[in-house]
Amino acid sequence: MRSAAVVGTGLIGTSIALALRGRGVATYLIDRDPEAARNAAGLGAGLVAVPPAPADLAILAVPPQHVASALREHQLRDLAHDFTDVASVKVRPQEEAAELGCDLSRYVGGHPMAGRERSGPLAAQSDLFQGKPWVITPGAGARRQAVDRVTELAELCGARPVVMSHAQHDRAVALISHTPHMVASLVAARLLHGDESQLQLAGQGLRDATRIAAGDAELWTDILGSNATAVADVLEEIALDLREVVDALRDLGAGAAAPERQRTSRAHLTTALARGVQGHGRIPVRTPGGMRLSGVAAGK
Amino acid sequence: MRSAAVVGTGLIGTSIALALRGRGVATYLIDRDPEAARNAAGLGAGLVAVPPAPADLAILAVPPQHVASALREHQLRDLAHDFTDVASVKVRPQEEAAELGCDLSRYVGGHPMAGRERSGPLAAQSDLFQGKPWVITPGAGARRQAVDRVTELAELCGARPVVMSHAQHDRAVALISHTPHMVASLVAARLLHGDESQLQLAGQGLRDATRIAAGDAELWTDILGSNATAVADVLEEIALDLREVVDALRDLGAGAAAPERQRTSRAHLTTALARGVQGHGRIPVRTPGGMRLSGVAAGK
């Protein structure tokens, strides 16, 4: 890859541009907000300009619901030979791009699994993707060269390419990211019903458990709305589990339930908690160098 | 306070004994497991012995469901003039102590809001309670001296005494600790239904959000079971919120809903997420010195 056009110079777009510049790729920065593009350029992320000839790859670093229209627009103006995006959902942008008549042979979706709590170009880091998974979701009609370009992009950024279908990706992020975010938001929102004397007892454990809920509400509405069915499916399973836990707690709280029923309710609670311990243990622990360990192997 | 008896030399009991030793109080360590008591003594937490005369205060650092029986046993043997506990629920131990005929004038419940992911005496730290809230829940019949002793205990440990009723305390910890724990367990347990390719995409955000779910399942069954009604009340509110979010996502996912309904559903989602941001912002941020700031004032 010798040249790349980055459309959208927020946190992710600027971090990609910085990583590519570090590997000698000529980068061109495009943003509807001229100040965002200039800020990115000021960090050394590239030139605020349209490339003089089509770039090898265009990276559409725009919100999920704008991917298809940006693809259409920049394919029509021949911005690059091949195109990718970085959106955190994959099925709907692909469907929308098909509806808009985009050239799907030259588009391969991507999703680098990295982020920060801060947003915008000034939060960008060239090593943001180091050792992180970068999901690549080639459609049936994508040409080989487009897949290779996106794989090369991930590697140039120090990430680990992982190939999945659009639907596989969206189910995965519903489970490991979108659902946990929504549930953390509901737990955090309950705190608005607490009074000051209750809140003053809260500590670091609760802060950590609800930190993801601090993410921008508008951005997360777009993300969850774009992956609505997959997220709703997981949330409904959690709602069923929650119903059973509440029933068990009601038995234990009433104290009136028969001893046998109390035992069953206690056992149900212990099983639910033990499954939580096991599930937490399945989350991979990444070393700074990017090596992955299972929670158990890492002794956590 | 010149002498204290610590019954139960786990993480909390041993940390209290270490803090008291550091302030010159004579401490006596009692545990059904002789090795745990010896380990605590080996750290300099005190003597493995029953005090030669009644201690000024006995601290019952045993699980919630054993508080009342330990109080009964050690009041009968005249272990100390006054008694407290450190259990994370307060209503039920008080009720059970009344049923067992304990002397409630000489018992004042307590709950230091501190802990670690590790347990046992070897994880103990003399500064574990530094700057943390220590809830004190005097019953109607408690004598003044008992309240003063427990307040002095909290202060000797560097904690900040906070007086509440038993019921206020239990509702507060249901909101800020027990419910978040249970919900994090359900989210983590869902990961058992994911395959390896989905799990490999998970990262630090999910680890943080579910870390509290890694706590011991048996201990947490005791805690949640002892505060079952208050926890079930909050969980049911979350279940209602969850139902509304699922309905909104179904509207957005179907794509078939009328535009007006889509707008309403998006707005509902944004409101739920924004309330999560606000709720998270209410959690106090504690500086190492123990000063408290609101999340907003601390710039987090």
Side-chain angles (χ1 to χ4, degrees):
Chain A
M1 194 186 307
R2 281 174 301 187
S3 64
V6 175
V7 178
T9 55
L11 168 68
I12 300 294
T14 306
S15 294
I16 290 173
L18 286 171
L20 292 179
R21 283 299 303 133
R23 304 296 296 267
V25 177
T27 55
Y28 299 89
L29 310 173
I30 298 167
D31 200 294
R32 291 190 179 181
D33 174 2
E35 193 181 337
R38 279 196 303 268
N39 280 336
L43 296 170
L47 289 176
V48 182
V50 171
D56 290 330
L57 184 69
I59 298 114
L60 308 172
V62 299
Q65 78 277 25
H66 297 139
V67 167
S69 58
L71 179 60
R72 169 91 175 139
E73 173 189 345
H74 293 294
Q75 282 192 331
L76 283 178
R77 74 198 285 193
D78 224 5
L79 183 69
H81 298 303
D82 293 290
F83 292 78
T84 188
D85 72 312
V86 298
S88 51
V89 293
K90 300 267 72 85
V91 171
R92 191 170 289 188
Q94 182 80 15
E95 287 172 354
E96 290 171 348
E99 285 163 16
L100 290 181
C102 298
D103 179 355
L104 297 182
S105 72
R106 292 162 182 266
Y107 166 62
V108 171
H111 180 203
M113 304 296 295
R116 300 189 64 191
E117 284 162 65
R118 294 168 57 204
S119 58
L122 299 179
Q125 300 176 324
S126 65
D127 62 353
L128 188 65
F129 311 103
Q130 195 65 44
K132 302 284 170 60
W134 189 308
V135 182
I136 299 173
T137 57
R143 66 176 184 169
R144 181 57 185 263
Q145 182 186 307
V147 181
D148 289 347
R149 280 289 184 230
V150 180
T151 307
E152 186 185 356
L153 169 68
E155 289 168 349
L156 286 170
C157 290
R160 187 168 46 82
V162 177
V163 176
M164 286 187 177
S165 74
H166 304 108
Q168 278 178 319
H169 168 274
D170 283 6
R171 283 194 301 268
V173 292
L175 180 70
I176 59 122
S177 167
H178 302 173
T179 296
H181 188 105
M182 191 68 243
V183 173
S185 295
L186 295 181
V187 170
R190 273 291 117 200
L191 300 176
L192 296 175
H193 298 266
D195 62 33
E196 203 54 47
S197 71
Q198 296 180 314
L199 264 296
Q200 69 171 322
L201 303 186
Q204 196 56 40
L206 184 61
R207 280 199 76 81
D208 289 348
T210 56
R211 182 179 306 121
I212 50 176
D216 183 79
E218 291 288 342
L219 173 64
W220 276 92
T221 301
D222 288 340
I223 293 172
L224 296 169
S226 300
N227 198 21
T229 302
V231 177
D233 287 347
V234 185
L235 286 177
E236 279 194 339
E237 299 287 343
I238 289 177
L240 291 174
D241 297 342
L242 186 54
R243 186 68 254 164
E244 291 185 359
V245 164
V246 169
D247 288 345
L249 287 168
R250 290 289 178 211
D251 281 343
L252 294 171
E260 176 56 31
R261 180 143 180 189
Q262 294 251 352
R263 266 193 299 278
T264 310
S265 294
R266 266 191 73 88
H268 182 84
L269 215 48
T270 306
T271 302
L273 292 162
R275 288 175 60 80
V277 175
Q278 287 181 300
H280 177 74
R282 285 197 75 190
I283 304 171
V285 179
R286 291 201 179 77
T287 64
M291 205 175 94
R292 288 175 311 120
L293 302 165
S294 81
V296 174
K300 292 284 176 78
Chain B
M1 193 184 309
R2 280 174 302 187
S3 63
V6 174
V7 179
T9 55
L11 166 68
I12 300 295
T14 305
S15 294
I16 290 172
L18 286 171
L20 292 179
R21 282 300 302 133
R23 304 295 297 266
V25 177
T27 54
Y28 299 88
L29 309 173
I30 298 167
D31 199 296
R32 290 189 179 182
D33 173 2
E35 194 182 336
R38 279 197 302 270
N39 280 336
L43 295 171
L47 287 176
V48 182
V50 171
D56 291 329
L57 184 68
I59 298 113
L60 308 172
V62 299
Q65 78 276 27
H66 296 139
V67 166
S69 59
L71 179 61
R72 169 89 176 140
E73 174 189 344
H74 293 294
Q75 283 192 330
L76 284 178
R77 74 198 289 192
D78 225 6
L79 183 69
H81 298 302
D82 293 291
F83 292 79
T84 189
D85 71 314
V86 298
S88 51
V89 294
K90 300 266 71 83
V91 172
R92 192 172 288 187
Q94 182 83 12
E95 287 173 354
E96 289 172 348
E99 285 164 18
L100 290 181
C102 298
D103 178 356
L104 296 182
S105 72
R106 294 163 181 263
Y107 165 62
V108 170
H111 180 202
M113 304 297 294
R116 300 189 63 191
E117 284 162 65
R118 295 168 56 203
S119 57
L122 300 179
Q125 299 176 324
S126 65
D127 62 353
L128 187 64
F129 311 105
Q130 195 66 45
K132 302 282 169 64
W134 188 308
V135 182
I136 298 173
T137 58
R143 65 175 185 168
R144 180 58 186 261
Q145 183 183 308
V147 180
D148 290 346
R149 279 289 184 229
V150 180
T151 306
E152 187 184 357
L153 169 68
E155 288 168 348
L156 286 171
C157 290
R160 188 166 47 84
V162 177
V163 175
M164 286 188 179
S165 75
H166 304 108
Q168 277 177 319
H169 168 274
D170 284 6
R171 282 194 300 268
V173 292
L175 181 70
I176 59 123
S177 168
H178 302 173
T179 296
H181 188 105
M182 190 68 242
V183 173
S185 296
L186 295 181
V187 170
R190 273 291 118 200
L191 301 176
L192 296 175
H193 298 268
D195 61 32
E196 203 54 47
S197 70
Q198 296 180 312
L199 265 296
Q200 70 172 321
L201 303 186
Q204 196 57 41
L206 184 62
R207 281 198 75 82
D208 289 348
T210 57
R211 182 180 305 120
I212 52 177
D216 183 78
E218 291 289 342
L219 173 64
W220 275 92
T221 301
D222 289 340
I223 293 172
L224 296 169
S226 300
N227 198 21
T229 302
V231 177
D233 287 346
V234 185
L235 286 177
E236 279 193 340
E237 299 287 345
I238 289 178
L240 291 174
D241 297 342
L242 186 53
R243 185 69 254 164
E244 292 184 359
V245 163
V246 169
D247 289 344
L249 287 168
R250 290 289 179 213
D251 281 344
L252 295 172
E260 176 57 30
R261 180 140 180 192
Q262 293 252 353
R263 267 194 299 278
T264 311
S265 296
R266 266 190 71 89
H268 183 85
L269 215 49
T270 305
T271 302
L273 291 161
R275 288 176 61 79
V277 175
Q278 286 181 304
H280 177 75
R282 286 197 75 190
I283 305 171
V285 178
R286 290 199 179 78
T287 64
M291 203 173 94
R292 287 175 313 120
L293 302 167
S294 79
V296 174
K300 290 283 178 77

